[in-house]
Amino acid sequence: AQTVTQSQPEMSVQEAETVTLSCTYDTSESDYYLFWYKQPPSRQMILVIRQEAYKQQNATENRFSVNFQKAAKSFSLKISDSQLGDAAMYFCALTTQGGSEKLVFGKGMKLTVNP
Amino acid sequence: DVKVTQSSRYLVKRTGEKVFLECVQDMDHENMFWYRQDPGLGLRLIYFSYDVKMKEKGDIPEGYSVSREKKERFSLILESASTNQTSMYLCASRPIAGGRVEQYFGPGTRLTVT
C-alpha cells in the first residue's frame, strides 16, 4: 500500500519570501509519480508540479520547484517569491504506473501568505 | 484546457433522501474518480471508473454507488443520505494515453445532510 505524509498542518510565509513544504511517502513500486496540488479558497484543485520517479532532475515550474530525494522518500515543494495568491491548501500526492492509477493524497497543509 | 464540471457547488439534503452528484468532463478522458474531502483527512477515494459502465470501489465505498453510462459523465449516488456523509465531494478525470498521469479536478460540491 502507498502512503503519503504531510507532517505540517499549517505554515505561514511573508510575501516575497521563500517557503518549503515537506512531504514523505512510502511505496514498494519502482515506477511512480509524485504531485503537488494546490486548492485555493475557491476550492478548485489544480496541479502545481509533478515529478517522475525515474527522473533524477528535480522538476521546476516558474516559482515552484521540488526537492525529490528518492532514497529518503522525500518530496518537498519550494515556493520562491511568495505571492498572496499562493495562499491555499497544498496536497502532496502519489500514483503508481499501471494498476488502477489511483492517487493517494496526504492530509494537506494550509499555507498563509502575509503581506 | 481540461474542464471538469460538477452539477452543484452547494447542496442541502435531508437524512434518508437519495442524492445524485453529477460530474462531466469535456476531454474524452477514460478514467473518472469521486473523492470526499474532510478537514484533517485529506482526500479519500470513494469510487472510480476506467471506462463506460466499468467501476471499482475505492477506499471508502460504503453508503455510495456510482453510474457511468456515458464516457463524459460520472455520477455519485447516495442511496439514503446520512449526516456522516456531510462533506466536500470532488470529481476528477484523467486520460490513460499520452503519458499523462495527473488528474484534473472539478470545483467540488459541498453537501450538507441534515
Side-chain angles (χ1 to χ4, degrees):
Chain A
Q2 289 85 33
T3 60
V4 176
T5 302
Q6 294 177 254
S7 56
Q8 302 156 296
E10 290 191 46
M11 293 185 74
S12 64
V13 64
Q14 291 296 125
E15 197 175 4
E17 297 292 310
T18 295
V19 64
T20 299
L21 286 58
S22 63
C23 172
T24 58
Y25 63 93
D26 192 23
T27 179
S28 57
E29 301 289 333
S30 59
D31 192 7
Y32 56 91
Y33 298 79
L34 293 158
F35 307 90
W36 280 98
Y37 279 89
K38 169 186 176 180
Q39 188 181 42
S42 65
R43 298 195 210 109
Q44 187 94 35
M45 187 87 74
I46 56 174
L47 179 68
V48 175
I49 200 165
R50 84 176 211 184
Q51 174 78 45
E52 292 87 340
Y54 63 86
K55 289 188 177 178
Q56 293 186 343
Q57 186 172 8
N58 289 326
T60 62
E61 286 287 341
N62 301 313
R63 297 182 295 107
F64 298 88
S65 61
V66 299
N67 183 5
F68 174 46
Q69 300 289 328
K70 192 171 183 178
K73 295 185 177 177
S74 169
F75 183 61
S76 61
L77 174 70
K78 185 171 83 171
I79 306 174
S80 304
D81 186 25
S82 297
Q83 300 175 0
L84 295 178
D86 294 332
M89 287 290 296
Y90 286 83
F91 292 91
C92 181
L94 163 74
T95 191
T96 56
Q97 186 68 1
S100 60
E101 291 88 32
K102 294 190 293 183
L103 266 179
V104 176
F105 285 87
K107 294 183 178 181
M109 193 224 68
K110 181 179 179 181
L111 179 66
T112 300
V113 181
N114 300 310
Chain B
D1 278 353
V2 176
K3 190 166 186 182
V4 181
T5 57
Q6 295 182 228
S7 50
S8 306
R9 291 299 299 270
Y10 301 93
L11 208 53
V12 179
K13 295 292 182 180
R14 294 192 179 276
T15 301
E17 279 193 84
K18 190 169 187 176
V19 181
F20 292 87
L21 302 183
E22 305 287 338
C23 175
V24 177
Q25 49 94 4
D26 67 354
M27 284 300 292
D28 204 36
H29 287 174
E30 288 79 8
N31 291 3
M32 297 187 75
F33 306 82
W34 274 107
Y35 297 89
R36 66 176 281 176
Q37 181 181 8
D38 300 287
L41 296 179
L43 278 74
R44 293 177 293 168
L45 182 65
I46 304 171
Y47 266 98
F48 67 100
S49 170
Y50 48 91
D51 203 348
V52 175
K53 296 189 187 295
M54 307 300 282
K55 61 185 180 184
E56 280 199 28
K57 293 180 179 179
D59 300 317
I60 52 164
E62 297 78 19
Y64 304 95
S65 62
V66 292
S67 172
R68 193 165 180 202
E69 297 296 319
K70 293 185 178 181
K71 191 175 186 179
E72 67 271 18
R73 187 180 298 271
F74 191 35
S75 303
L76 179 69
I77 303 157
L78 286 66
E79 295 290 341
S80 178
S82 64
T83 55
N84 63 12
Q85 292 177 310
T86 291
S87 187
M88 170 68 75
Y89 290 88
L90 295 175
C91 174
S93 73
R94 61 154 282 187
I96 61 171
R100 292 156 60 198
V101 296
E102 57 265 28
Q103 294 183 17
Y104 298 85
F105 285 83
T109 295
R110 169 70 69 185
L111 173 66
T112 302
V113 182
T114 61

